[in-house]
Amino acid sequence: KFDIFRNDRSFSSSIGIPKISEKIVKTNSSWPTGNGERQHFDEMVSFRKKEAKSSVVIQVGNPSKSHTLLNKVCSRHGDVKNLFHYTHQDKELLLLELDSEASVKNLLASCSHNNNYKVIPVISPFLWLKATPSESYTAVSSRLPPVIKENISVMDNLLELLSNAKSISEQMTILNDQTRLSEIGHRLRWITCIQIEHMLSGLFPSLQVLPFGSFVNGSARNGCDLDMAISLDGHYGAEIAAPQSPLIFQAKAAVENHRLQTQKHLEIFADLIQNYAIGCSQIQRIMRARVPIIKFHHEFTGIDCDISMSLSGVFMSELLYLYDKIDWRFCPLVTAVRQWAAWAKLTSVTPGNQITNFTLTLMVVFFLQRCTPAILPTLGEMTKMARPQVDTRQAEDINCSFLRDPFVFQLRSKSNSESPEDLFMGFLRFVGSFDFSERSISIITGDSHRKFDSKPLYVQNPLERELNVSRNVTLTELTRLVMEARNALYILETQEDQNTGNNWGLLALPRAKSLQQIKQEMSHSNQVKLNIKDLFCDDYEEEIDDFTETRLSE
Ligand code: CTP
Ligand code: MG
């Protein structure tokens, strides 16, 4: 047996604010993140999943001392394509990508549990390397990629870059590039999806864990949460081919009420995760929300995770992913808007009565649809152009069919030559002057309609059309949003000389006036959502239909 032991609960660490300091060792080809390309969402998901299935995370005592031993142990199973080093809560961890899924299977087959009688013998991609003299092993094939230690103090560097930029547009691009979720951040999230998928696929072999939310829609930032949706049959909305065989599985009948069945599945999955998923702690079951979810924290990656069984979020993310591919200005604009909102404390890491990043993103889409010429297409246009079969998707009675090729719209968006700076100012102007009291926002038509309910802010959920994604926003918060937008626009328009002093352009927007204070504010806003005391309020406090409520209380 080799000296890589599977991690188990006896090694769980204390809980605190996770700080992942990352030293990228070497990044071989990974999924290209640029826009303007014709990369399909489904292809990106398959690529990343394959990469994650070829990877393991190994906890080591001392990365430089473990190097030789690790090289000898791993080289027996295949070549190491990529090696990342990160630290989390005093743990030294290495993420290794081997050359294939088969190599990882072989590697895992060679591992043992440290103490067979005292731990639950779960198999997962999270391992630890026991210190053993490396002389006992001989290397079989190539060496590990070299460890390049890179000290990334993003914040200092970022503020300096922002203050030295030549224009607000350049600042927006820098902010977007520098705060983008790192490669290791991506890989750790994908490997978490694979961990859950592996665990549940014993029961449901076709099951798929599909990430959604900012992590996959192009606006992923360091510290972002991981939203996952489970599809039991793995079809996730695509048309199912006619059965090849007349043989049908005998099956138990599902509970008639779909919501109740979802809650049952999630309760069982929560038990499994709590008892058997290595590293997953602080499990919360939010079953009475409109979309029931399980929440947990991952101790080996520092990531906060949500699991639901609703696929509409996956298609929503695919739509935002497409918008990112259609026009290069979309993502820098979203990032600037999110950062401005965080500085102005308009958004919060805990759910409440404030506007969310998701609602802000839909408002940005709406604004870009209404520019002249339009930069982004409306969902209505994209739905009309959906190709039969290729683009047809149906999730829980929701039509999620829309053209999944950004190319047509990429050409069109080029006819608008406004700079990111113009667009940011334009967005602030739009928010500062829109008639929120009477009008709603819809990215389906790119038009504002009379409001359908009495909530202060109405932003239509484009896929679940009867829902208002901003129903949690109070009048006080909406008023603050409008006032802050006007204030920010005033600051940007009245700046005298952009290049005198440090705090110009975007850096003039935070309340804090010294770079040190801005740095502190930005570090806070990048903290992951650990505080879950308010979970049952607002965002999650959606209508529970009477029937279900009665059943639940029974
Ligand atoms: N979502 C939705 N309707 C809502 C809230 C969320 O459809 N009322 C979907 C969206 O696809 C959203 C995803 O759920 O992107 C995840 O929600 P959330 O984590 O709140 O937002 P993110 O876009 O992931 O942003 P953040 O970086 O703040 O996590
Ligand atoms: Mg999210």
Side-chain angles (χ1 to χ4, degrees), residues 340-352:
W340 157 69
W343 275 331
K345 304 209 172 4
L346 292 167
T347 49
S348 162
V349 289
T350 48

Side-chain angles (χ1 to χ4, degrees), residues 212-214 217 224-225 227 313 316-317 338 357-358 461 469 529:
F212 66 101
S214 59
N217 68 23
C224 71
D225 63 358
D227 304 296
M316 189 61 235
S317 302
R338 283 181 172 214
N357 280 329
F358 175 58
N461 183 323
V469 302
K529 301 173 191 171

Side-chain angles (χ1 to χ4, degrees), residues 101-223:
E101 288 177 44
S103 299
V104 165
K105 274 193 186 146
N106 285 336
L107 176 79
L108 294 182
S110 74
C111 299
S112 60
H113 286 92
N114 195 18
N115 183 335
N116 288 342
Y117 302 107
K118 293 201 175 145
V119 299
I120 300 166
V122 171
I123 294 178
S124 86
F126 292 94
L127 312 168
W128 68 274
L129 180 73
K130 190 173 134 186
T132 308
S134 69
E135 293 76 54
S136 36
Y137 297 100
T138 44
V140 174
S141 63
S142 61
R143 294 176 56 77
L144 289 177
V147 179
I148 303 164
K149 299 219 168 175
E150 211 176 64
N151 188 9
I152 50 158
S153 176
V154 177
M155 214 52 79
D156 283 335
N157 197 17
L158 172 63
L159 295 183
E160 200 182 317
L161 288 171
L162 289 177
S163 115
N164 291 337
K166 298 278 175 294
S167 63
I168 294 180
S169 292
E170 198 181 318
Q171 284 187 326
M172 290 169 71
T173 313
I174 292 169
L175 184 71
N176 186 44
D177 292 347
Q178 297 289 315
T179 57
R180 202 186 277 283
L181 181 63
S182 61
E183 180 60 20
I184 181 117
H186 277 279
R187 287 174 186 249
L188 290 175
R189 282 162 180 75
W190 285 103
I191 207 167
T192 307
C193 293
I194 294 301
Q195 179 192 12
I196 304 294
E197 194 171 286
H198 271 166
M199 191 181 74
L200 302 179
S201 61
L203 205 51
F204 299 100
S206 308
L207 178 141
Q208 293 251 15
V209 173
L210 300 154
F212 66 101
S214 59
F215 166 50
V216 283
N217 68 23
S219 55
R221 304 287 118 194
N222 284 318

Side-chain angles (χ1 to χ4, degrees), residues 494-507:
T494 55
Q495 278 181 357
E496 282 168 12
D497 182 356
Q498 293 193 329
N499 286 319
T500 52
N502 289 327
N503 298 3
W504 70 277
L506 295 185
L507 289 176

